[in-house]
Every structure is written in C-alpha cells, then in structure tokens.
Amino acid sequence: MVKLSWAVVAAAVLPVVSAKCTPKPVKIKVESHGGNATSTHQYGFLHEDISNSGDGGLYAELIRNRAFQNIEFHPASLDAWSPVNGASLSLNVLDQLLSSALQYSMNVAADSSAGQVGFSNDGYWGMNVKKQTYTGSFWVKGDYEGSFTASLQSNLTGEVFGSTEVESKATSSEWTEHTYQLVPTKDAPNANNTFILTFDAAGAKAGSLDFNLISLFPPTYRGRKNGLRIDLAEAIESFHPTLLRIPGGNMLEGLTNTTRWDWKETLGPLKDRPGYPNVWGYPQTNGLGLMEYLELSEDMNLEIVLAVYSGLALNGDIVPKEKLQPFIDDALDEVEFISGAADTKWGSVRAALGHPAPFKLQFVQVGNEDWLAGGEVGWQTYQDYRFPMFFEAIRVRYPHIHVLSSGSVFDGHNIPAPGLGDYHVYATPNSLVDQFDLFDQTPVTHIIGEAAAVHPNGGAGWDGPELMAYPFWIGTVGEAVSMIGYERNTDRIIGSCYAPILRSLDRWQWAVTMIHFAADPAKTTKSTSWYTWELFAGHLMTHTLPASASYDPLYYVTGKNQDKGTFIFKGAVYNSTAGADVPVSLKFDGVKAGTQAELTLLTGPADPYGYNDPFTGVNVVKTTKQHLAAGKDGSFKFSMPNLSVAVLETEPSEKKPKN
Ligand SMILES: *[C@@H]1O[C@H](CO)[C@@H](O)[C@H](O)[C@H]1NC(C)=O
Ligand SMILES: *[C@@H]1O[C@H](CO)[C@@H](O)[C@H](O)[C@H]1NC(C)=O
Ligand SMILES: *[C@@H]1O[C@H](CO)[C@@H](O)[C@H](O)[C@H]1NC(C)=O
Ligand SMILES: *[C@@H]1O[C@H](CO)[C@@H](O)[C@H](O)[C@H]1NC(C)=O
Ligand SMILES: *[C@@H]1O[C@H](CO)[C@@H](O)[C@H](O)[C@H]1NC(C)=O
Ligand SMILES: *[C@@H]1O[C@H](CO)[C@@H](O)[C@H](O)[C@H]1NC(C)=O
C-alpha cells in the first residue's frame, strides 16, 4: 500500500509520452536453426505441507484431528472436537489399540437417558457442504445396539443439510469400522458448517463408546480414494505444470534428527499412519503420503524431483559420517519403492498398495538447503561426506538417475558436475530482472527448486511489512523475466518450481503463494503469478532458437515447438523508458507473409503492487488475445506496455519446422 502513493508520484513527475514520438520497434530476427532442445518439464511447483496446503488444503479430508494422533511436539488432543447434547468427551488409551500407530481414541460418555449424544468437528475452519456424495468412515469400540446418525449442519443456524443413519456393528471385543455415504439434500449457503455424529445413549451398554479415525471425504480429484480436493487440484493442473518437487522444502528435514519426514510412515491404510510433527507449527496426519504424491504426479503427468533426507535437521543436528548409512539405505529403499519392478523388495510393497507398474523417477535430490541449517558445518559436512555418500550410492544402483545437490554456485555452494545444482530465489522484482542473465554464466545444470517474488523493490527480510501479502503484479512480471532467463538456458535448467503453491487463508506461515484458499471454494484465488506461469507453461517449446535483438526493457526467448509445428515468442517488458509501450517487430526465419499467430498479452493494474485479493475476488490481471498475420516481410508487429507479459505462437504449419 505504501507503494501505491509512490507509483502515483512517479506517474505525475514522469513526462507524458506523446503519441507523435513513437519509439523505434525492437526488431527481433529469429533464426531457424542453432538452438537447444528444451527440458520437457520446465514449469512446476514445490509442494510441502505449509500453510495447511496439505492437511486442510490439497488433501480432501474434511475432519480435523481425525485420529487424535500423538505426535512429537503435538501431544494427542481433542482439538476441533466438541460434545453434542451434553456428552462428555475424553482421550483414552485403551488396552486394545486401533493400531500401534493410532493409540489414542475418544471416549464419548453420557447418561443413558440423555437421548441422542455425540460430537461435532469444526473441520479445517469450516466445511464445504454441497449436494454431492460424501464418503464417511469411523471406528468404534463398545457394545452398542442401534444406529449412528452422521450429519452435516450449519454451525450458525443448526440447519441440517444432510444426514444418514449407520447401523451399528459395534462390539466391546474389538474395533469395528463403519462406512457410509452421505448426500446433502441442499447446498449450504456458506462454509460455516460442522460434521456431527450421534448415537442413542440408551443403546450404549457401558455408558460410553470409544471412537477413532473419524473421516469424511467429499468427491475427490479423479475419484481417488483418500484423494485430493477437486477445485485445488484443478487450479494447479490448469496452469499446465510438468514438474513436482516433493516432499519439501524444510518439511523434509524435520526440526530434529528424530523427526524427519519418514516416507515409510506415510504408506498404506490410514490406521497405520502415525502422523508427523511437520516444521510449520501444526501436526500433520500423513494422509497425503508418498503414494498420494505419486498418484498426483501420475494424474497430472508431472516429472518428480524426489528429495531424500540428507542427515541435516533444522535445529542444526547433523548425522555423523558413521551413522549416515541407514539414511542412505532408506533413500535407496524409497527410490526402489517408487521406481523398482514389482518383484523387488520395495517395489512389491508399492504393488501391494495397488500400483504394480513402477513410477518414472529421473531426479533425486539429496536434502534441502543444506547451507541453511547447521551454520557453516551444515554445508561443510554436506560437501565432505553427506552429498558424496548419497551420490555414490544412488549412482551405483541407479546410473540413469540425475542426483541433485541442494545448493547452487550462485549461493557460493558449488557441487562439481555430475552433481546438479538447486537455486532458490525469493526476491524483489528488480533483483529477479537483474538475474535475467544469471544462468548464462554457468555450465552447471540446475533446477530452480523454489522461486517467487516476495519483497517489494527495496524490501528485504522475512518478518514484517517488507514481505508482501500476496503475489503482486510487478513481482509477477519480475518472475516472468527470470523465467525467460531460465528458458533461454534450458539446456542447463531442468525446470523451475513456484513455491509455495497453496495457502490456507485461515492458518498460514507463508503469505506469497500461487493459490489461496479456505474451506469455502468460492475463496479459491489464482494469484497474479498463476496467470504468467499458466501462460508460459501453456506454450511449451521443444527447442530454443537464437535471435538477434538485445534485451531491456523487453526480455524475451524465442523457439519452436517441433511437435506442433509452431514458432513461439515469450516476452516481458519491465521498466520501459518513461513507462512507454514497446513496439515489437518479430520475424521468424522461414515464416511467410500472411502466416497467422495468436498473441496473448497480460497486463496488470495501475498500481504495480496490485494483487488478486481472495476477499474481493477481483482479478487485476487483464488477458488480451489478438490474432496477427505476418506482414509482407514476414514479421509480426505488436506492442507491449510497460509491465506486461506476452506469448506469441504461430499457427501450426503443415510442414513442421525441423531442428
Ligand atoms: C465463518 O467461518 C469463517 C472462516 O472460519 C470465519 O472467518 C467467519 O467469522 C465465520 N462466520 C461466522 C458468522 O461465524
Ligand atoms: C462453530 O461455532 C463455535 C462457537 O461459536 C466456534 O467455536 C467454532 O469455531 C465454529 N466452527 C465452525 C466450523 O464455524
Ligand atoms: C541426533 O542428534 C544428537 C545430538 O543432538 C546426537 O547425539 C545423535 O547422535 C544424533 N543422531 C543421529 C542419528 O544423527
Ligand atoms: C527500474 O527503474 C528504476 C528507476 O529508474 C531503477 O531504480 C531500477 O533499478 C530499475 N530496475 C531494473 C531491474 O532495471
Ligand atoms: C545453446 O546452448 C549453448 C551451450 O550452453 C549456448 O552457448 C547457446 O547460446 C544456446 N543457444 C540458445 C539459442 O539458447
Ligand atoms: C514502468 O515499470 C516500472 C517497473 O518496471 C515501474 O516501476 C514504473 O512505475 C512503470 N512506469 C510507469 C510510468 O508506469
């Protein structure tokens, strides 16, 4: 907001460009040969459970604290649960556990004359209730004759939108699972709804029943069991990503050396998943586990970058050399679980979970930001033994896999080839533009594992007002300029990942995020950055092509898509002289007069710091599509305003351009 007045002042002092003084066009002449094959997975994202982007976000489970998980730093609790009709709720550890992973359960006690009693759950700050099929399940222990009533109700008015009876199979001798479907007869007007489960107190022989793993799913993305929230998965899918980096981020490392993300604890039936402390201040169910990530990558056709724990925790704990081998073995097990044949030890575990075919895995990253925690010793031990030990072990067993380090030569953390680099950039718009040619300067292949414009120009630091509240237009254009820089160097850039991808508006640890959401899908908001990533990712090149003109204020990359038979230009204008439009004359060698092309132009709001606000729903990004025909000399002529992003793609030619 401070920047709004700055922009107004700037506009007032700058000379107005008169229509008569038309600047000379930037003439771009693109050669038909001599480029490089591009990476086929150029645009992607990082997912880890931060800002409830997993539990309560992409993971569709509606019930919060569904299994009273007792997790390091987060002891079992009755968080999110409330009694209904005077029942008394308490945590119990019964002699007979539901599973060794889920030791705590909820005892629901009431006077036998109390009538219908039970409990309600707040969900992840509400629940979306629509006329659709919800799939519920819960485990009970205790003798009960009668039925349970599961319902979805307004927390504001008590109105019941849907309810169903579930016949009891409960006994005191063992835990019994009950499953059911619930179809509301009405859409709820808002998301301030709760889930309620009740039973007839008179039918509960011992005066109480014990419950555990109480779960409720709406329809999920591609109908997967234990699946993803449809609108969020589709908001991601629709920006056409081709790359997914999992499972973090800092989340991979854990806070201490006993609380790393242990992929083996995320597999199989939900009752066998103990949960995970996370590193972002809230516990995690592990419902969104390794298999769910792999299914997501399969459904969206994403190349995976799998990060494996490298022996460094966020508190600076470093696994000494003589204790590292078990972690290396664990990483090799994980690679085998993902990509091994169904008759290998871990491949057979995957097959038993319903996926006999191996998943594709080409990229394994050792650790995450090993220069961040542990001070200088962190990186020193990484260079000395941690990276080399993982690298050797993975390469010996899986020679086709590319092993990435977690540092970059640009952070002063070089790992010589054939180890690859990972560069993370959270920056101001100006510095993203300044880094346009960064990757022209290194022969080392990198992934841009995390990228986003997060500070206003002149801003820095991780706390306080110098961090923006949402992705913002000038930052988005800065990202576009740096992405063009990456794509120009695509022979050495595996791809780039926007990070983080999702943020709950109700509980978050990181503001600037590509997509924002709440329980109410009407709040799902694509940020300004979503639009540029979508535009660039939606026009993939197979090859870059050399071009003539210099850069600044127009930054661009040119190439072709050999499969489609098209030529492509991606450009962004930043800091044009006095804010004037930049005329462009673009000629692809071999493109004849009259050839058709589509130009998609993105422009932003008057305030360069404007953003897409979930609470107003206004989209500040304007998308304009124009059909252009190449002129007599074969060139396309168009104009790009200050702070704009554009893609031009020619119509497919019958004769596909050859490399
Ligand atoms: C409805 O829920 C939202 C999200 O938790 C909350 O911000 C809002 O205050 C609630 N409204 C009412 C009337 O309780
Ligand atoms: C329901 O209302 C109670 C009491 O106002 C509140 O504590 C709780 O957070 C609300 N839950 C939802 C889902 O709105
Ligand atoms: C974990 O850290 C503690 C010190 O904080 C150390 O004693 C222990 O050996 C470490 N364990 C591993 C596996 O590195
Ligand atoms: C953009 O222009 C401003 C004002 O002239 C200047 O301070 C800034 O460095 C420029 N940024 C870039 C990336 O050129
Ligand atoms: C292709 O890659 C080479 C080697 O990195 C580089 O010198 C050249 O500029 C690249 N060409 C294009 C058009 O990007
Ligand atoms: C032109 O763009 C720069 C950033 O690239 C911005 O700071 C400036 O306000 C814009 N100038 C005008 C006159 O809009």
PDB file of all heavy atoms in Angstrom, residues 6 10-11 14 474 574-576 578-579 608 642-643, ligand 6:
ATOM      1  N   TRP A   6       3.681   5.915  -4.024  1.00  0.00           N
ATOM      2  CA  TRP A   6       4.947   6.054  -4.746  1.00  0.00           C
ATOM      3  C   TRP A   6       4.705   6.005  -6.250  1.00  0.00           C
ATOM      4  O   TRP A   6       5.216   6.796  -7.009  1.00  0.00           O
ATOM      5  CB  TRP A   6       5.879   4.931  -4.298  1.00  0.00           C
ATOM      6  CG  TRP A   6       7.139   4.843  -5.107  1.00  0.00           C
ATOM      7  CD1 TRP A   6       8.276   5.565  -4.946  1.00  0.00           C
ATOM      8  CD2 TRP A   6       7.369   3.995  -6.217  1.00  0.00           C
ATOM      9  NE1 TRP A   6       9.201   5.219  -5.873  1.00  0.00           N
ATOM     10  CE2 TRP A   6       8.679   4.258  -6.675  1.00  0.00           C
ATOM     11  CE3 TRP A   6       6.593   3.040  -6.881  1.00  0.00           C
ATOM     12  CZ2 TRP A   6       9.227   3.580  -7.766  1.00  0.00           C
ATOM     13  CZ3 TRP A   6       7.148   2.379  -7.967  1.00  0.00           C
ATOM     14  CH2 TRP A   6       8.451   2.651  -8.390  1.00  0.00           C
ATOM     15  N   ALA A  10       5.353   8.885  -9.038  1.00  0.00           N
ATOM     16  CA  ALA A  10       6.218   8.624 -10.182  1.00  0.00           C
ATOM     17  C   ALA A  10       5.500   8.980 -11.483  1.00  0.00           C
ATOM     18  O   ALA A  10       6.055   9.633 -12.353  1.00  0.00           O
ATOM     19  CB  ALA A  10       6.626   7.160 -10.199  1.00  0.00           C
ATOM     20  N   ALA A  11       4.256   8.578 -11.583  1.00  0.00           N
ATOM     21  CA  ALA A  11       3.500   8.837 -12.805  1.00  0.00           C
ATOM     22  C   ALA A  11       3.330  10.338 -13.007  1.00  0.00           C
ATOM     23  O   ALA A  11       3.371  10.834 -14.132  1.00  0.00           O
ATOM     24  CB  ALA A  11       2.138   8.160 -12.724  1.00  0.00           C
ATOM     25  N   LEU A  14       6.880  11.900 -14.202  1.00  0.00           N
ATOM     26  CA  LEU A  14       7.453  11.463 -15.464  1.00  0.00           C
ATOM     27  C   LEU A  14       6.785  12.190 -16.631  1.00  0.00           C
ATOM     28  O   LEU A  14       5.593  12.463 -16.585  1.00  0.00           O
ATOM     29  CB  LEU A  14       7.270   9.947 -15.631  1.00  0.00           C
ATOM     30  CG  LEU A  14       8.162   9.111 -14.711  1.00  0.00           C
ATOM     31  CD1 LEU A  14       7.710   7.656 -14.712  1.00  0.00           C
ATOM     32  CD2 LEU A  14       9.615   9.204 -15.155  1.00  0.00           C
ATOM     33  N   ILE A 474       3.898  -6.365 -10.235  1.00  0.00           N
ATOM     34  CA  ILE A 474       5.273  -6.081 -10.675  1.00  0.00           C
ATOM     35  C   ILE A 474       6.200  -7.257 -10.326  1.00  0.00           C
ATOM     36  O   ILE A 474       7.144  -7.580 -11.061  1.00  0.00           O
ATOM     37  CB  ILE A 474       5.788  -4.727 -10.109  1.00  0.00           C
ATOM     38  CG1 ILE A 474       7.174  -4.400 -10.642  1.00  0.00           C
ATOM     39  CG2 ILE A 474       5.763  -4.682  -8.606  1.00  0.00           C
ATOM     40  CD1 ILE A 474       7.661  -2.985 -10.280  1.00  0.00           C
ATOM     41  N   TYR A 574       9.748  -4.647 -18.706  1.00  0.00           N
ATOM     42  CA  TYR A 574       9.947  -4.167 -17.338  1.00  0.00           C
ATOM     43  C   TYR A 574      10.749  -2.889 -17.421  1.00  0.00           C
ATOM     44  O   TYR A 574      11.791  -2.849 -18.064  1.00  0.00           O
ATOM     45  CB  TYR A 574      10.717  -5.228 -16.553  1.00  0.00           C
ATOM     46  CG  TYR A 574      10.807  -4.976 -15.067  1.00  0.00           C
ATOM     47  CD1 TYR A 574       9.888  -5.539 -14.181  1.00  0.00           C
ATOM     48  CD2 TYR A 574      11.816  -4.168 -14.543  1.00  0.00           C
ATOM     49  CE1 TYR A 574       9.974  -5.306 -12.830  1.00  0.00           C
ATOM     50  CE2 TYR A 574      11.902  -3.930 -13.188  1.00  0.00           C
ATOM     51  CZ  TYR A 574      10.983  -4.504 -12.330  1.00  0.00           C
ATOM     52  OH  TYR A 574      11.062  -4.275 -10.980  1.00  0.00           O
ATOM     53  N   ASN A 575      10.262  -1.825 -16.785  1.00  0.00           N
ATOM     54  CA  ASN A 575      10.999  -0.557 -16.748  1.00  0.00           C
ATOM     55  C   ASN A 575      11.198   0.074 -18.124  1.00  0.00           C
ATOM     56  O   ASN A 575      12.312   0.439 -18.470  1.00  0.00           O
ATOM     57  CB  ASN A 575      12.408  -0.775 -16.146  1.00  0.00           C
ATOM     58  CG  ASN A 575      12.489  -0.270 -14.718  1.00  0.00           C
ATOM     59  OD1 ASN A 575      11.472   0.058 -14.116  1.00  0.00           O
ATOM     60  ND2 ASN A 575      13.693  -0.198 -14.193  1.00  0.00           N
ATOM     61  N   SER A 576      10.146   0.205 -18.881  1.00  0.00           N
ATOM     62  CA  SER A 576      10.336   0.851 -20.177  1.00  0.00           C
ATOM     63  C   SER A 576      10.570   2.342 -19.962  1.00  0.00           C
ATOM     64  O   SER A 576      10.179   2.895 -18.935  1.00  0.00           O
ATOM     65  CB  SER A 576       9.111   0.626 -21.066  1.00  0.00           C
ATOM     66  OG  SER A 576       7.998   1.303 -20.538  1.00  0.00           O
ATOM     67  N   ALA A 578      10.217   5.870 -19.486  1.00  0.00           N
ATOM     68  CA  ALA A 578       9.061   6.701 -19.123  1.00  0.00           C
ATOM     69  C   ALA A 578       7.754   5.916 -19.161  1.00  0.00           C
ATOM     70  O   ALA A 578       6.685   6.482 -19.341  1.00  0.00           O
ATOM     71  CB  ALA A 578       8.983   7.919 -20.045  1.00  0.00           C
ATOM     72  N   GLY A 579       7.873   4.616 -19.009  1.00  0.00           N
ATOM     73  CA  GLY A 579       6.650   3.807 -18.948  1.00  0.00           C
ATOM     74  C   GLY A 579       5.950   3.642 -20.289  1.00  0.00           C
ATOM     75  O   GLY A 579       4.795   3.231 -20.353  1.00  0.00           O
ATOM     76  N   PRO A 608       1.400  -0.951  -9.566  1.00  0.00           N
ATOM     77  CA  PRO A 608       2.239  -2.117  -9.862  1.00  0.00           C
ATOM     78  C   PRO A 608       2.239  -3.146  -8.731  1.00  0.00           C
ATOM     79  O   PRO A 608       2.579  -4.299  -8.935  1.00  0.00           O
ATOM     80  CB  PRO A 608       3.630  -1.541 -10.056  1.00  0.00           C
ATOM     81  CG  PRO A 608       3.528  -0.074  -9.911  1.00  0.00           C
ATOM     82  CD  PRO A 608       2.143   0.306  -9.550  1.00  0.00           C
ATOM     83  N   ASN A 642       4.527  -1.173 -20.716  1.00  0.00           N
ATOM     84  CA  ASN A 642       5.376  -1.340 -19.536  1.00  0.00           C
ATOM     85  C   ASN A 642       4.703  -2.362 -18.613  1.00  0.00           C
ATOM     86  O   ASN A 642       3.477  -2.375 -18.488  1.00  0.00           O
ATOM     87  CB  ASN A 642       5.477   0.023 -18.836  1.00  0.00           C
ATOM     88  CG  ASN A 642       6.480   0.020 -17.698  1.00  0.00           C
ATOM     89  OD1 ASN A 642       7.433  -0.762 -17.692  1.00  0.00           O
ATOM     90  ND2 ASN A 642       6.275   0.912 -16.738  1.00  0.00           N
ATOM     91  N   LEU A 643       5.479  -3.183 -17.979  1.00  0.00           N
ATOM     92  CA  LEU A 643       4.945  -4.191 -17.055  1.00  0.00           C
ATOM     93  C   LEU A 643       3.883  -5.078 -17.715  1.00  0.00           C
ATOM     94  O   LEU A 643       2.737  -5.137 -17.267  1.00  0.00           O
ATOM     95  CB  LEU A 643       4.369  -3.535 -15.791  1.00  0.00           C
ATOM     96  CG  LEU A 643       5.368  -2.901 -14.834  1.00  0.00           C
ATOM     97  CD1 LEU A 643       4.660  -2.412 -13.579  1.00  0.00           C
ATOM     98  CD2 LEU A 643       6.476  -3.881 -14.464  1.00  0.00           C
TER      99      LEU A 643
HETATM  100  C1  LIG B   6       7.199   1.085 -15.586  1.00  0.00           C
HETATM  101  O1  LIG B   6       7.611  -0.138 -14.969  1.00  0.00           O
HETATM  102  C2  LIG B   6       8.400   0.034 -13.815  1.00  0.00           C
HETATM  103  C3  LIG B   6       8.853  -1.311 -13.362  1.00  0.00           C
HETATM  104  O2  LIG B   6       9.371  -1.971 -14.415  1.00  0.00           O
HETATM  105  C4  LIG B   6       7.599   0.698 -12.759  1.00  0.00           C
HETATM  106  O3  LIG B   6       8.398   0.854 -11.623  1.00  0.00           O
HETATM  107  C5  LIG B   6       7.126   2.034 -13.262  1.00  0.00           C
HETATM  108  O4  LIG B   6       6.226   2.552 -12.330  1.00  0.00           O
HETATM  109  C6  LIG B   6       6.433   1.923 -14.607  1.00  0.00           C
HETATM  110  N1  LIG B   6       6.353   3.241 -15.151  1.00  0.00           N
HETATM  111  C7  LIG B   6       5.183   3.789 -15.475  1.00  0.00           C
HETATM  112  C8  LIG B   6       5.229   5.210 -15.948  1.00  0.00           C
HETATM  113  O5  LIG B   6       4.143   3.158 -15.374  1.00  0.00           O
END
